[in-house]
């Protein structure tokens, strides 16, 4: 594991945040978008980075060294409060993801993820909601903790039932 040198702020773009198990398996944790923080938990707890980030679009990030972060937090109680609120929201998102992985089958996790992606990246059109960014079946599989084969099978069922369609790599619901 890499020692924590600071946190990263996503100014532009999107990153896939992934964790790796000692056996080499990976789990996509979440997608970090504009305004997201990465590595802040490790900074606060003085632990090594627990995840890796991979840019999935053209992106710009800023690095804030640990010492700068702690100095700013000491000077600004408002910044500390905002960081705490961010951590609480992130924790709630991760807890919901854990509960979904524990209790929902792959079909439900994929359907919920597609609905969530439509809320965040969807644009209404005459046939429903079309995603404005591309997500591969592998991306979806990583987000919901299943295999690409399972995700592909579920997409086929959803398309066959008329619940989703895909045009030029952009799904519509």
């Amino acid at each position: 594991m890499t020692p924590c040198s600071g946190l990263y702020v996503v100014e532009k773009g999107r990153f896939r945040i992934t964790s790796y198990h000692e056996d080499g398996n990976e789990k996509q944790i979440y997608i970090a978008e504009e305004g997201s923080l990465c590595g802040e938990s490790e900074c606060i707890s003085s632990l090594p980075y627990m995840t890796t980030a991979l840019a999935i679009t053209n992106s710009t990030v800023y690095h804030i060294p640990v010492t700068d972060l702690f100095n700013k937090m000491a000077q600004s109680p408002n910044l500390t409060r905002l960081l705490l609120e961010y951590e609480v929201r992130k924790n709630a998102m991760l807890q919901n993801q854990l509960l979904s992985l524990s209790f929902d089958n792959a079909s439900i996790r994929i359907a919920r993820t597609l609905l969530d992606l439509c809320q965040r990246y969807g644009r209404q059109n005459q046939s429903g909601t079309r995603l404005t960014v591309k997500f591969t079946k592998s991306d979806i599989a990583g987000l919901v903790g299943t295999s690409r084969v399972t995700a592909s099978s579920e997409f086929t069922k959803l398309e066959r039932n008329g619940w989703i369609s895909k045009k030029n790599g952009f799904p519509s619901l």
Side-chain angles (χ1 to χ4, degrees):
M1 287 192 237
T2 307
C4 180
S5 62
L7 70 84
Y8 296 86
V9 180
V10 179
E11 179 191 28
K12 181 182 101 174
R14 291 190 350 238
F15 286 79
R16 179 185 357 231
I17 308 301
T18 305
S19 185
Y20 294 90
H21 190 265
E22 60 192 29
D23 66 6
N25 286 323
E26 67 179 68
K27 169 67 176 103
Q28 187 171 319
I29 308 296
Y30 63 96
I31 303 292
E33 304 174 300
E34 294 175 11
S36 293
L37 304 178
C38 303
E40 75 287 351
S41 297
E42 292 84 352
C43 281
I44 294 167
S45 61
S46 300
L47 292 172
Y49 291 116
M50 304 295 284
T51 58
T52 60
L54 175 69
I56 53 178
T57 63
N58 288 335
S59 302
T60 304
V61 295
Y62 291 103
H63 178 257
I64 301 173
V66 174
T67 53
D68 291 355
L69 175 65
F70 285 139
N71 288 338
K72 294 286 186 193
M73 288 172 66
Q75 295 168 5
S76 173
N78 191 46
L79 173 65
T80 303
R81 182 184 56 77
L82 290 172
L83 187 58
L84 182 59
E85 288 174 3
Y86 183 87
E87 286 301 296
V88 168
R89 285 192 310 274
K90 190 181 219 179
N91 187 51
M93 183 259 321
L94 292 172
Q95 184 177 6
N96 285 336
Q97 186 181 54
L98 176 64
L99 291 172
S100 179
L101 287 169
S102 298
F103 296 117
D104 297 336
N105 64 38
S107 298
I108 291 170
R109 294 192 316 263
I110 288 170
R112 282 190 180 144
T113 298
L114 288 171
L115 289 171
D116 179 55
L117 292 174
C118 279
Q119 285 181 336
R120 286 198 268 164
Y121 306 110
R123 182 172 291 138
Q124 290 294 120
N125 62 25
Q126 59 272 32
S127 61
T129 303
R130 182 175 177 182
L131 288 178
T132 58
V133 295
K134 290 184 181 183
F135 282 90
T136 67
K137 291 172 185 169
S138 292
D139 291 335
I140 302 298
L143 280 170
V144 304
T146 193
S147 70
R148 189 204 173 284
V149 172
T150 298
S152 183
S153 172
E154 291 302 322
F155 269 80
T156 299
K157 288 178 194 174
L158 291 169
E159 287 179 281
R160 189 177 32 226
N161 289 323
W163 293 333
I164 66 169
S165 62
K166 201 167 188 183
K167 185 176 180 183
N168 299 326
F170 293 93
S172 291
L173 274 69

